[in-house]
Amino acid sequence: MRDTFNKMIGRTRYVVFRLFLHLGGGEVAPILGVLNSAGRDAIDVDGDLEVLGEGLVEISQTLLQYDEYWLSAANEGDVFWDEGEAGDYVNELFTDSAERYLSEPNYSSDSGSNEPLSIPVTRNVIVMITVAYEGEVPELETDLSNVQALKEGLKALINLHYKHRLKAIQVHFSPAQLGDELTSDQLLQYYPELIPL
Amino acid sequence: MIMTIVRKFTAIFLALSLCLTTVACGGGNQTNSSAKNVNQISTTNLSDGEYQIQQATYDDATGEYNLFLLNNKPPTFATENLQMARLTDDEIKQGKKTYLKVEKGQPILYLTEDFKLEYVHNVTENKTNPQTGQQETVVVRRENSFWAPFAGSVAGSLAGQALGSLLFRPQYYVPPVYQSGQGLSGFGGYGTSYGQAVQNYQTFYNAPPAAVTNRTAFRNTGTIRRSYPGNSTVPNTPRSTIGNNRPSGSGFGSSTLQPSGKSSTTRRNSGSGFGSGRSTAPRRSSSFGRRRR
């Protein structure tokens, strides 16, 4: 009722959307490279949304190519008619996503003497993507806990960038880099909302 | 015969008015005061018509236009969503001056060629907040300048004949790059939507306009910056994450949405949430985004 009313008086519809995607298997670690390079690009340009959008496209593309490794997923979101509320929620989600991993690991000068020749390769990677956009995208505003819906959702994310409708983009991932590990127990503990695909 | 029509009409009328009041009440809890809302209210407040302009200000921190209207109450009008167009020579000959026209709620500013908007430039710096350790963009000082969007010579030389006639059609404009101690003339980008104007600017200058960069809030966490290739030493050993069982991770994100600035984070229950909501027990249809257990 309120939806139609707001639409009628021509208010802008803001949607904030968050996706969790957990990939598992022996060959998932290369994704970390894509994620980190997108992050570096973003830092280089101080968060220019256009560049972040390109990064998002690349990440979504990579995730689509790794569809055999998708193990579980979850999504959530809300619709806003007020930019301020949407902006607040985006900030809230950033903090919530960031809280689930340790962003400042202990860097004692442990590199050097007893460096092992091999590094452990993580068998789990989790990617959290949050976007805010204007308008309506039915592919995203639904339950994405099955493979087909998820594929459509990721494609819709890519399209959103090219339609220039993204207002905010966040990407979080864990573990941070090759050599760090994310165990299944940690997944259960910090990402309870994940639903097996 | 007439009675039945009247009776029917009364029933329909009552039903309609009931609907309207319900909608009005439903929308009520949203009118918390915030800077953003004030803008929206002033946008809708100005009824359709023409208004004379005393002065116009453009702020490049927010991309907001502030217009001072003559013989109007309230005398100021602030909006980000402003289209501009040049007055045609005929109109100028008829003695028309710069004026604001509101058409179906859309404000359009018709400018004479030499009309200057006051341009407020915000000099920003990236500073690290000593309390949080996070990078923040801070306005260190403001400079005043002028912006003449349709200053003749520039518009002519830059755009040529084809665009010349476009100038008379209402469009969105983005100011050119700010130069200290110099007035701005001409425009950096134009388009039929604000987004298009920004894009137009971006293809020209290869960077987003000031209003957009100043609005963008960038956050990042984790080790991305450190693992930058130039920074060499990436420790390959598994971290000793003493006392914390969390996995490592990184994140980055930027947003051009203006936060409301409200202190409380009350989530309204409007039934608009969606998602794969699992296991949270009695979920109201509205609220989502689960709290940690």
Side-chain angles (χ1 to χ4, degrees):
Chain A
M1 183 74 182
R2 191 146 113 212
D3 231 40
T4 24
F5 178 68
N6 279 324
K7 227 177 257 174
M8 229 160 60
I9 63 170
R11 279 206 180 136
T12 315
R13 185 179 193 268
Y14 294 97
V15 182
V16 181
F17 164 88
R18 173 159 72 164
L19 169 73
F20 295 85
L21 181 54
H22 160 218
L23 299 100
E27 285 91 48
V28 294
I31 294 174
L32 293 177
V34 176
L35 292 163
N36 271 305
S37 88
R40 267 179 243 130
D41 290 347
I43 289 174
D44 282 348
V45 294
D46 269 330
D48 178 6
L49 210 60
E50 194 63 24
V51 176
L52 256 81
E54 279 158 28
L56 178 73
V57 167
E58 206 177 314
I59 290 166
S60 310
Q61 203 84 263
T62 315
L63 290 175
L64 278 169
Q65 283 157 13
Y66 277 83
D67 60 342
E68 294 157 41
Y69 300 99
W70 296 353
L71 284 190
S72 50
N75 76 307
E76 61 184 16
D78 208 343
V79 178
F80 298 88
W81 294 99
D82 177 79
E83 186 184 341
E85 281 179 36
D88 287 350
Y89 191 50
V90 167
N91 282 335
E92 222 173 278
L93 283 183
F94 188 97
T95 315
D96 179 80
S97 302
E99 168 236 38
R100 292 154 187 261
Y101 55 81
L102 194 67
S103 57
E104 293 292 329
N106 192 359
Y107 282 107
S108 44
S109 51
D110 50 0
S111 57
S113 56
N114 52 356
E115 211 169 290
L117 284 171
S118 65
I119 50 170
V121 172
T122 182
R123 295 189 62 81
N124 295 299
V125 171
I126 185 149
V127 184
M128 291 163 267
I129 296 173
T130 309
V131 293
Y133 56 87
E134 278 179 9
E136 193 168 357
V137 182
E139 288 94 338
L140 294 177
E141 291 156 44
T142 173
D143 178 357
L144 295 187
S145 59
N146 65 72
V147 174
Q148 202 47 46
L150 198 52
K151 276 186 184 168
E152 295 303 320
L154 284 170
K155 283 177 200 160
L157 271 183
I158 295 174
N159 290 340
L160 268 179
H161 166 67
Y162 291 114
K163 286 180 196 156
H164 296 279
R165 272 162 56 193
L166 290 168
K167 292 277 141 192
I169 301 169
Q170 291 168 15
V171 178
H172 296 262
F173 52 93
S174 175
Q177 53 182 308
L178 200 67
D180 292 350
E181 266 187 297
L182 173 67
T183 64
S184 304
D185 287 351
Q186 284 168 335
L187 264 175
L188 276 179
Q189 189 177 352
Y190 296 109
Y191 306 93
E193 52 267 273
L194 289 174
I195 299 169
L197 290 168
Chain B
M1 180 59 196
I2 292 168
M3 263 330 264
T4 51
I5 291 172
V6 168
R7 231 175 260 157
K8 265 186 185 163
F9 174 76
T10 323
I12 290 166
F13 177 74
L14 281 178
L16 268 177
S17 60
L18 203 62
C19 284
L20 260 180
T21 41
T22 323
V23 170
C25 292
N29 59 352
Q30 230 191 357
T31 48
N32 272 336
S33 70
S34 77
K36 204 65 213 161
N37 271 351
V38 172
N39 286 349
Q40 272 165 1
I41 286 163
S42 64
T43 311
T44 45
N45 251 0
L46 221 51
S47 48
D48 286 9
E50 288 183 14
Y51 301 85
Q52 274 189 298
I53 296 284
Q54 162 92 38
Q55 197 190 358
T57 312
Y58 176 80
D59 187 338
D60 76 352
T62 52
E64 198 175 78
Y65 295 89
N66 222 314
L67 306 176
F68 294 88
L69 310 172
L70 279 177
N71 311 325
N72 193 57
K73 232 175 179 188
T76 57
F77 170 66
T79 181
E80 289 163 30
N81 172 28
L82 182 75
Q83 295 184 351
M84 292 197 281
R86 225 193 92 171
L87 284 167
T88 58
D89 292 342
D90 285 349
E91 280 171 322
I92 293 171
K93 260 181 213 149
Q94 284 164 24
K96 279 226 174 193
K97 285 191 189 138
T98 301
Y99 67 98
L100 176 78
K101 189 176 180 184
V102 181
E103 221 179 303
K104 292 177 194 150
Q106 168 66 53
I108 304 164
L109 190 61
Y110 287 91
L111 304 164
T112 52
E113 195 176 82
D114 52 356
F115 186 82
K116 286 180 177 136
L117 287 100
E118 202 173 311
Y119 186 96
V120 181
H121 176 67
N122 294 266
V123 184
T124 55
E125 260 176 32
N126 274 330
K127 281 193 176 151
T128 312
N129 185 333
Q131 265 159 357
T132 60
Q134 269 194 346
Q135 285 264 319
E136 283 177 358
T137 308
V138 195
V139 176
V140 283
R141 72 174 177 279
R142 309 180 120 209
E143 288 171 6
N144 279 315
S145 181
F146 290 102
W147 174 31
F150 300 112
S153 58
V154 175
S157 64
L158 185 105
Q161 203 60 42
L163 189 64
S165 58
L166 283 181
L167 293 176
F168 306 118
R169 204 179 66 189
Q171 292 200 94
Y172 289 89
Y173 290 95
V174 181
V177 170
Y178 177 78
Q179 282 156 321
S180 182
Q182 224 178 313
L184 311 173
S185 58
F187 42 83
Y190 66 95
T192 46
S193 71
Y194 182 70
Q196 213 175 15
V198 168
Q199 236 182 296
N200 186 275
Y201 180 99
Q202 214 153 358
T203 47
F204 207 72
Y205 292 102
N206 212 3
V212 173
T213 29
N214 286 340
R215 269 177 77 109
T216 308
F218 183 56
R219 294 172 76 179
N220 72 76
T221 64
T223 55
I224 303 176
R225 201 186 283 275
R226 282 178 218 226
S227 62
Y228 202 91
N231 274 5
S232 67
T233 53
V234 181
N236 288 338
T237 42
R239 302 281 145 56
S240 47
T241 52
I242 308 152
N244 200 331
N245 175 34
R246 267 164 221 271
S248 70
S250 300
F252 56 91
S254 78
S255 160
T256 53
L257 295 168
Q258 210 92 50
S260 71
K262 275 181 258 175
S263 54
S264 62
T265 50
T266 41
R267 179 88 52 246
R268 65 226 165 75
N269 305 315
S270 59
S272 56
F274 58 85
S276 60
R278 178 207 196 193
S279 75
T280 10
R283 242 166 107 104
R284 251 176 309 173
S285 61
S286 60
S287 67
F288 78 101
R290 103 206 23 184
R291 303 273 142 248
R292 207 97 326 93
R293 277 151 289 177

